[in-house]
């Protein structure tokens, strides 16, 4: 979902203004809602929904009242839906962050020959992160501009400034996104280094000078030695942050009873980021196992306590070369994570490691171990968190597949949008697997209406169909065109999901009795996203993964490259309705069938749609 902040971005030049998020007409949204829901409901269900929707949208009815209130809200705010969306998508969600909410970027496999090599990698990574923060502090990141339909429109850069300054504070019913305010005399900056489930404060500015890479390595070596001391070792408090949000809020309140714990929590909550120095997992590493380890760290028996999930950025450096980033997603969208991590990897490739002793801060003070006072109650809470995390570890069914038969260049030659093409392929795979249409959540909005033409292609492409290749090709072209047009609606803020969310939340704010449209079965079905998809293209070698958003669903992240596509598909073992390996197998066959169909017919959509589609994939927000 493209999110503009409510205040103009600090990253914009003086005089620039962000456009207000548009508010669709109530009639347009209700008509599209009915079109989207028709193929997901029985005839009896749809007839009831149609009656409920007509009553809601009747002249002088509840819908018109709520729409007028939304228009007033839009007049006062640049983005009328942002607060509603943030709470609904993230802060109200009570599920644990690992797997259920926090996406990960998986770096290329590193080959460390000795323990010092992983620390050198970590020092180089920290140095790159500090360089990036320097750009942020100076507001020196170039302003990004929209392309395609919104060409030339400045995009809000505010989310970039939350990378190292925000924190997700757990609450009993709703979390809070806390943003640190800078002051005239800021305290020395620090990061938290997690090593062997212990937490250490690493000051990156000492005597008003930022540590160079050699000094960072020296400090990391000290931390590694301190973490090895079994006499000093404390319980793995980080496990508590992997629990459900209500459970973690309750555990945090227990921790806060002790001043020692309050001080340690304060240091973590105010840090720039975490660097997690993981022990070797002992697993055979491939793309799938590395993605899995990034998502849950292997549980309490491995590196599950070596995390603090409330921080937006956790850089993971494994002794076995399993490296990447774990992202707390409420502070910013995927494009911000991609841009930051790409900067870091390019920095590390293009800027040789600077481990010379020049300009060192003499006699660096030792990093400080964070202390915890653990009562029997806290030990019980830790045991409970460890058990829950292990269930999640056992439940996750991950499959990362590199599809090598073709990539986005082949799709572009067909005059089709690669993103829309892959979206259709994913829906085709689900239909072939389940033989039923599916509600799809996509990255450009809180959800995506499945265009009827997409469904037609999916249904008539089944095995044994008597539909001719020419007819299938025409359906595919129509499906791509419909998918592209709906994506444009989402990018320009004219899709239905946010509008319906705004109407629902406004009714709640006004303490109205919940309108029937939001109690209707169709509304419940429309918010159950069995297939959660996200395009996360990168220009360097890495890929993104995340978990499903519903117990019987799939998380399907894809990274289209010129000659291949990386798919990261997740589901849960506990669901008898899903299997990631089987889904990938069917997806691959569908992609091959679509290629063969294109080659047979050698036709495409018109050049205008081709240009639209190619611009779209660059313009979209990525999850």
């Amino acid at each position: 979902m493209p999110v503009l902040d409510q205040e103009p971005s600090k990253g914009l030049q003086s005089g620039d203004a962000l456009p207000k998020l548009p508010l669709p007409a109530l009639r347009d949204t209700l008509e599209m809602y009915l079109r989207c829901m028709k193929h997901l409901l029985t005839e009896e269900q749809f007839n009831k929904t149609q009656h409920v929707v007509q009553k809601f949208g009747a002249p002088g009815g509840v819908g018109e009242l709520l729409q007028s209130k939304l228009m007033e809200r839009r007049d006062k705010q640049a983005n009328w839906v942002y607060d509603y969306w943030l709470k609904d998508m993230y802060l109200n969600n009570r599920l644990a962050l690992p797997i259920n909410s926090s996406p990960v970027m998986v770096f290329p496999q590193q080959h460390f020959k000795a323990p010092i090599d992983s620390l050198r990698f970590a020092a180089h990574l920290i140095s790159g992160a500090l360089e990036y923060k320097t750009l942020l502090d100076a507001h020196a990141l170039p302003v990004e501009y929209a392309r395609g339909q919104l060409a030339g429109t400045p995009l809000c850069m505010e989310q970039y400034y939350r990378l190292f300054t925000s924190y997700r504070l757990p609450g009993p019913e709703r979390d809070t996104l806390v943003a640190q305010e800078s002051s005239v005399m800021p305290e020395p900056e620090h990061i938290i280094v997690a090593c062997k489930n212990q937490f250490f404060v690493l000051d990156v500015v000492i005597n008003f000078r930022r540590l160079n890479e050699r000094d960072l390595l020296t400090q990391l070596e000290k931390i590694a030695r301190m973490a090895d001391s079994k006499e000093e070792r404390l319980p793995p408090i980080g496990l508590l942050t992997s629990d459900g949000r209500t459970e973690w809020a309750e555990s945090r309140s227990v921790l806060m009873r002790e001043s020692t714990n309050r001080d340690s929590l304060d240091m973590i909550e105010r840090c720039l980021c975490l660097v997690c120095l993981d022990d070797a997992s002992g697993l055979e590493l491939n793309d799938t196992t590395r993605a899995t380890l990034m998502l849950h760290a292997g549980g309490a028996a491995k590196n599950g306590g070596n995390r603090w999930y409330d921080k937006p950025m956790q850089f993971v450096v494994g002794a076995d070369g399993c490296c990447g980033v774990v992202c707390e997603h409420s502070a910013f969208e995927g494009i911000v994570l991609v841009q930051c991590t790409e900067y870091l990897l390019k920095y590390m490739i293009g800027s040789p490691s600077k481990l010379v002793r020049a300009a060192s801060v003499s006699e660096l003070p030792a990093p400080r171990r964070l202390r915890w006072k653990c009562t029997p109650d806290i030990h019980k809470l830790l045991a409970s968190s460890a058990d829950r995390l292990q269930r999640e570890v056992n439940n996750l069914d991950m499959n990362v597949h590199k599809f090598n038969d073709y990539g986005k260049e082949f799709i572009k030659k067909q005059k089709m949008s690669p993103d829309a093409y892959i979206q259709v392929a994913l829906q085709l795979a689900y239909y072939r697997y389940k033989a039923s249409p599916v509600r799809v959540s996509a990255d450009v909005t809180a959800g995506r209406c499945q265009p009827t033409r997409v469904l037609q292609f999916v249904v008539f492409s089944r095995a044994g169909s008597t539909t001719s290749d020419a007819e299938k090709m025409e359906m595919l072209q129509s499906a791509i065109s419909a998918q592209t047009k709906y994506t444009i609606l989402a990018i320009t803020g004219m899709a239905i999901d946010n509008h319906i969310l705004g109407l629902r939340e406004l009714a709640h704010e006004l303490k109205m009795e919940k309108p029937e449209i939001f109690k209707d079965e169709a509304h419940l079905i429309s918010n159950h996203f069995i297939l959660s998809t996200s395009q996360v293209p990168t220009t360097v070698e890495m890929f993104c993964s995340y978990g499903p958003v519903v117990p019987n669903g799939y998380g399907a992240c894809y990274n289209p490259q010129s000659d291949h596509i990386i798919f990261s598909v997740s589901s849960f073992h506990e669901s008898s309705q899903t299997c990631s390996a089987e889904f990938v197998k069917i997806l691959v066959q569908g992609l091959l069938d679509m290629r063969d169909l294109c080659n047979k017919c050698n036709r495409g959509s018109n050049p205008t749609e081709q240009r639209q589609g190619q611009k779209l994939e660059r313009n979209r927000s990525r999850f």
Side-chain angles (χ1 to χ4, degrees):
M1 185 195 92
V3 174
L4 301 175
D5 238 22
Q6 294 185 26
E7 298 299 328
S9 166
K10 299 172 187 174
L12 295 174
Q13 300 298 320
S14 177
D16 287 338
L18 288 169
K20 283 180 176 288
L21 189 72
L23 177 62
L26 179 64
R27 180 178 176 181
D28 292 345
T29 290
L30 295 181
E31 288 178 353
M32 190 181 296
Y33 177 67
L34 288 174
R35 287 200 303 272
C36 289
M37 296 309 301
K38 187 169 186 178
H39 64 272
L40 296 174
L41 303 172
T42 65
E43 185 176 355
E44 183 180 350
Q45 286 173 326
F46 182 74
N47 289 337
K48 180 191 173 189
T49 295
Q50 196 170 30
H51 173 74
V52 168
V53 169
Q54 288 171 349
K55 181 181 177 183
F56 181 79
V62 175
E64 283 195 355
L65 170 64
L66 293 174
Q67 179 76 355
S68 67
K69 295 293 183 182
L70 269 187
M71 291 174 71
E72 292 175 14
R73 180 181 172 91
R74 182 184 182 270
D75 290 341
K76 298 173 185 174
Q77 300 180 12
N79 190 330
W80 55 266
V81 80
Y82 177 71
D83 286 343
Y84 293 153
W85 174 84
L86 179 66
K87 291 171 185 175
D88 184 68
M89 182 69 72
Y90 297 110
L91 304 184
N92 289 342
N93 195 329
R94 301 290 81 201
L95 294 175
L97 297 186
I99 301 175
N100 301 297
S101 179
S102 295
V104 300
M105 294 297 296
V106 184
F107 289 175
Q109 173 69 41
Q110 303 299 310
H111 301 284
F112 302 137
K113 296 177 181 178
I116 189 66
D117 292 341
S118 62
L119 297 183
R120 287 194 183 105
F121 183 90
H124 202 182
L125 184 63
I126 294 170
S127 185
L130 295 178
E131 285 286 330
Y132 196 72
K133 185 178 181 299
T134 298
L135 292 175
L136 291 174
D137 290 344
H139 292 271
L141 279 185
V143 176
E144 295 186 2
Y145 290 87
R147 299 167 185 168
Q149 295 292 304
L150 299 175
T153 303
L155 298 178
C156 179
M157 301 293 290
E158 193 63 31
Q159 292 187 18
Y160 286 87
Y161 301 100
R162 297 179 190 150
L163 272 166
F164 302 110
T165 61
S166 58
Y167 183 83
R168 180 163 168 173
L169 190 67
E173 296 179 357
R174 175 189 293 166
D175 291 358
T176 304
L177 184 59
V178 179
Q180 298 171 19
E181 298 294 334
S182 60
S183 59
V184 177
M185 289 294 289
E187 295 182 30
E189 295 167 313
H190 67 279
I191 64 174
I192 296 295
V193 177
C195 186
K196 297 189 183 301
N197 301 331
Q198 310 293 289
F199 297 98
F200 301 87
V201 178
L202 171 56
D203 291 316
V204 294
V205 176
I206 297 178
N207 296 335
F208 303 102
R209 176 180 288 174
R210 198 182 88 191
L211 297 194
N212 61 34
E213 195 171 318
R214 164 60 71 178
D215 292 328
L216 291 169
L217 176 59
T218 297
Q219 297 296 72
L220 290 175
E221 288 179 285
K222 291 177 185 176
I223 286 172
R225 286 195 296 270
M226 293 167 71
D228 277 334
S229 172
K230 293 183 180 179
E231 295 77 17
E232 294 277 329
R233 201 165 292 176
L234 297 167
I237 298 296
L239 280 173
L240 298 175
T241 72
S242 73
D243 217 329
R245 300 309 290 172
T246 299
E247 291 82 358
W248 165 220
E250 292 169 355
S251 298
R252 186 179 180 278
S253 68
V254 175
L255 283 172
M256 290 286 284
R257 294 170 190 166
E258 299 288 345
S259 61
T260 299
N261 298 339
R262 289 197 296 273
D263 292 342
S264 293
L265 286 167
D266 182 61
M267 290 305 292
I268 294 176
E269 292 168 10
R270 290 190 297 105
C271 75
L272 298 174
C273 61
L274 258 76
V275 173
C276 308
L277 304 177
D278 279 6
D279 288 338
S281 67
L283 301 175
E284 182 181 344
L285 294 181
N286 53 42
D287 287 349
T288 296
T289 53
R290 287 187 295 123
T292 300
L293 288 169
M294 282 298 129
L295 282 167
H296 56 50
K302 297 190 184 300
N303 296 292
N306 217 43
R307 300 285 185 275
W308 200 272
Y309 283 100
D310 296 346
K311 285 302 294 184
M313 299 293 280
Q314 296 190 91
F315 299 103
V316 177
V317 179
D320 53 8
C322 183
C323 303
V325 184
V326 183
C327 164
E328 198 293 294
H329 206 353
S330 65
F332 44 80
E333 295 179 82
I335 181 63
V336 178
L337 176 64
V338 171
Q339 296 284 28
C340 176
T341 49
E342 289 204 342
Y343 176 92
L344 294 178
L345 288 182
K346 288 175 182 176
Y347 172 88
M348 296 177 74
I349 294 168
S351 172
S353 185
K354 300 172 184 176
L355 292 173
V356 295
R357 179 52 79 174
S360 172
V361 177
S362 62
E363 297 183 14
L364 293 170
R368 305 184 300 286
R369 183 194 302 265
L370 291 183
R371 300 290 176 180
W372 307 99
K373 190 167 182 180
C374 294
T375 62
D377 285 344
I378 292 173
H379 283 287
K380 287 179 184 176
L381 293 169
L382 281 168
S384 174
S385 296
D387 287 345
R388 190 214 60 81
L389 180 59
Q390 193 57 48
R391 289 195 298 273
E392 294 285 337
V393 169
N394 297 338
N395 197 15
L396 181 63
D397 178 11
M398 172 66 65
N399 190 297
V400 178
H401 179 80
K402 187 174 181 180
F403 178 77
N404 286 311
D405 288 86
Y406 61 91
K408 63 184 178 183
E409 289 307 314
F410 169 80
I411 302 170
K412 288 179 180 178
K413 286 178 182 176
Q414 311 311 308
K415 300 183 174 65
M416 296 175 180
S417 155
D419 178 65
Y421 182 101
I422 297 170
Q423 283 284 333
V424 171
L426 287 165
Q427 294 172 46
L428 175 62
Y430 186 88
Y431 182 84
R432 285 180 171 180
Y433 185 64
K434 298 294 292 184
S436 63
V438 58
R439 175 73 166 143
V440 179
S441 162
D443 45 19
V444 291
T445 177
R448 174 173 290 182
C449 164
Q450 186 185 56
T452 304
R453 289 174 184 173
V454 176
L455 182 62
Q456 288 175 341
F457 170 74
V458 165
V459 170
F460 285 96
S461 294
R462 64 186 182 275
S465 171
T466 57
T467 309
S468 70
D469 287 340
E471 289 173 314
K472 288 179 185 177
M473 189 64 199
E474 187 174 344
M475 287 181 186
L476 176 58
Q477 291 171 325
S478 294
I480 299 292
S481 176
Q483 194 79 42
T484 300
K485 287 173 181 174
Y486 192 82
T487 301
I488 291 173
L489 288 176
I491 288 174
T492 56
M494 297 301 289
I496 66 173
D497 295 78
N498 287 335
H499 191 187
I500 291 173
L501 171 66
L503 293 167
R504 187 190 76 196
E505 293 303 302
L506 198 55
H508 180 72
E509 269 185 19
L510 296 173
K511 295 181 170 54
M512 296 172 57
E513 181 181 349
K514 183 183 281 190
E516 192 65 31
I517 189 173
F518 304 123
K519 295 189 284 188
D520 182 43
E521 191 171 6
H523 183 65
L524 299 176
I525 292 173
S526 73
N527 283 284
H528 190 81
F529 298 114
I530 291 178
L531 187 56
S532 173
T533 67
S534 183
Q535 176 186 229
V536 188
T538 63
T539 61
V540 296
E541 188 187 347
M542 61 178 175
F543 63 90
C544 177
S545 295
Y546 54 84
V549 298
V550 294
N552 63 332
Y554 290 100
C557 190
Y558 53 97
N559 183 348
Q561 297 295 306
S562 59
D563 61 353
H564 67 275
I565 308 168
I566 301 172
F567 290 97
S568 182
V569 176
S570 62
S571 62
F572 293 123
H573 287 298
E574 287 179 1
S575 172
S576 60
Q577 303 173 44
T578 59
C579 174
S580 295
E582 189 65 22
F583 184 89
V584 167
K585 179 181 176 182
I586 296 171
L587 172 63
V588 167
Q589 187 58 54
L591 287 165
L592 294 176
D593 291 345
M594 289 168 69
R595 178 200 62 185
D596 292 345
L597 180 63
C598 290
N599 285 337
K600 283 179 188 175
C601 299
N602 195 26
R603 293 168 58 193
S605 57
N606 65 57
T608 301
E609 286 180 349
Q610 179 193 14
R611 287 193 299 273
Q612 268 186 350
Q614 291 174 4
K615 289 176 181 177
L616 269 175
E617 64 175 316
R618 295 194 298 268
N619 187 34
R620 359 177 355 176
S621 175
R622 290 171 172 79
F623 29 90

